[in-house]
């Protein structure tokens, strides 16, 4: 079986996908080659079509098939409020909430010196340009509350300071519907520190 | 985001893969479109190359890029001993054992009336033709010990009977290194019924 170069090449491609190991990659390759021969063609066509039509929005760097994505082009949204996220999936997640009416900026990663990812690898410069050239009132840092996420948020906040723009971060605390019993010490400590009037 | 047709089409393709849900499919689509633009092209090329060069072996119906697969073409293997399996991955699994020196026959599925899969959807007819035309001594039914697997094995065994060929099935019992404590009743019962002299 492993003597088929085209099969190994395809399995290798599936293995590169996030969260996919050798065994699952093989299953996937077998699946697309089994049964209907058109399966692999449809898949390849979908990949090529996506690659040709989808690129980053010139403003927010989210995926789009136009020059400016639907969210950035939406005149009813508050373009003076920018929510900075790590990846396109985060925009999707925040949009589901339907409560946010500002725009976004997708970093496409987090600063992580150990992985060799510095600010130059991210869309930090385009963000600064947006803040410098557009009428921006507030930037919400919505990176994950991990070490890399918080480092990135603090780094960008520092760069944004000279522009006199308000920089905020998502509240850290006990999840709605959660239980004190299962909250970790860092979350509890943050929820006490950031306690609110009721 | 969901307003991009090419993205939805690509996510849909990933979702068709075995074991992949909507969320993972989206992650995969984002992955191939993120960063290096060549990722999607390489993936599509690998799919097309595999589709063009890989087909079923004319004898055993396993995947191959030649007319006859390496195992069937191997003169040192015992072509009078055929091991019948559900899918190409099973050949891979059995080959890892390195103890089997016969050839294979891949059914590409199991009989499952509820899913609308009958013997015509499988490679049952080519198997009967092999047994009729080649010098076959024994057929080992190595389908999974599930309801469908055992039904398929019994069905094929019945069809093979008139050819006067020996039909066997894999032994069912306690796994080597396993523990009686964790064996289910059906496995234990089978291991007692098929007990061997020591």
């Amino acid at each position: 079986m492993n003597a088929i170069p085209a099969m190994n090449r395809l399995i290798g491609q599936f293995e590169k996908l996030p969260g996919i190991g050798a065994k699952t990659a093989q299953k996937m390759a077998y699946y697309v080659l089994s049964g209907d021969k058109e399966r692999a063609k449809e898949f390849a066509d979908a990949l090529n079509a996506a690659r040709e039509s989808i690129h980053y929005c010139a403003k927010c760097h989210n995926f789009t098939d136009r020059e400016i994505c639907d969210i950035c082009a939406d005149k009813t949204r508050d373009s003076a409020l920018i929510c900075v996220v790590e990846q396109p999936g985060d925009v999707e997640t925040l949009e589901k909430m339907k409560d946010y009416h500002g725009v976004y900026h997708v970093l496409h990663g987090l600063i992580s010196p150990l992985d060799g990812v510095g600010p130059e690898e991210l869309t930090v410069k385009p963000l600064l340009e947006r803040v410098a050239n557009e009428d921006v009132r507030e930037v919400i840092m919505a990176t994950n509350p991990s070490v890399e996420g918080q480092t990135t948020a603090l780094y960008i906040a520092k760069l944004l300071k000279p522009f006199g723009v308000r920089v905020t971060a998502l509240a850290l605390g006990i999840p709605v519907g959660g239980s004190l019993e299962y909250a970790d010490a860092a979350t509890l400590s943050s929820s006490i520190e950031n306690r609110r009037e009721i």
Side-chain angles (χ1 to χ4, degrees), chain A:
Chain A
M1 179 60 48
N2 288 325
I4 312 177
M7 181 71 89
N8 287 338
R9 191 176 149 201
L10 182 57
I11 293 174
Q13 287 295 327
F14 277 115
E15 248 186 288
K16 280 190 194 166
L17 295 173
I20 298 304
K23 196 114 188 167
T24 314
Q26 195 194 56
K27 260 195 192 158
M28 290 174 164
Y30 285 2
Y31 168 81
V32 289
L33 292 172
S34 285
D36 186 2
K37 263 247 153 163
E38 287 311 286
R39 255 184 221 161
K41 190 182 173 334
E42 279 168 22
F43 207 143
D45 290 350
L47 277 162
N48 280 325
R51 186 178 69 98
E52 275 153 32
S53 67
I54 299 173
H55 44 256
Y56 295 153
C57 166
K59 277 195 159 189
C60 74
H61 294 260
N62 194 1
F63 289 123
T64 182
D65 53 359
R66 306 172 198 195
E67 206 210 323
I68 299 292
C69 77
D70 287 353
I71 293 175
C72 287
D74 187 344
K75 293 272 177 245
T76 69
R77 297 189 76 123
D78 182 0
S79 63
L81 180 62
I82 299 180
C83 180
V84 178
V85 296
E86 179 188 343
Q87 51 194 4
D90 297 334
V91 173
E92 189 97 332
T93 307
L94 287 163
E95 280 300 286
K96 272 192 195 125
M97 169 183 69
K98 292 185 199 299
D99 266 353
Y100 178 69
H101 296 292
V103 293
Y104 294 93
H105 190 87
V106 182
L107 292 173
H108 289 286
L110 294 174
I111 296 172
S112 173
L114 286 176
D115 301 318
V117 182
E120 318 73 48
E121 272 76 43
L122 312 178
T123 61
V124 175
K125 215 179 144 209
L127 173 64
L128 298 181
E129 282 163 10
R130 279 179 83 180
V131 174
N133 302 327
E134 293 172 30
D135 187 20
V136 178
R137 186 177 70 246
E138 180 177 345
V139 174
I140 306 175
M141 297 304 308
T143 50
N144 280 329
S146 60
V147 175
E148 287 89 359
Q150 292 190 310
T151 309
T152 308
L154 287 175
Y155 175 84
I156 293 176
K158 221 169 149 186
L159 293 179
L160 288 175
K161 227 169 200 168
F163 295 99
V165 68
R166 189 179 172 212
V167 184
T168 54
L170 294 186
L172 297 175
I174 307 153
V176 177
S179 150
L180 284 190
E181 206 178 343
Y182 298 113
D184 60 291
T187 303
L188 271 181
S189 147
S190 168
S191 73
I192 293 217
E193 199 186 324
N194 300 294
R195 63 192 179 278
R196 66 218 155 95
E197 300 285 342
I198 51 172

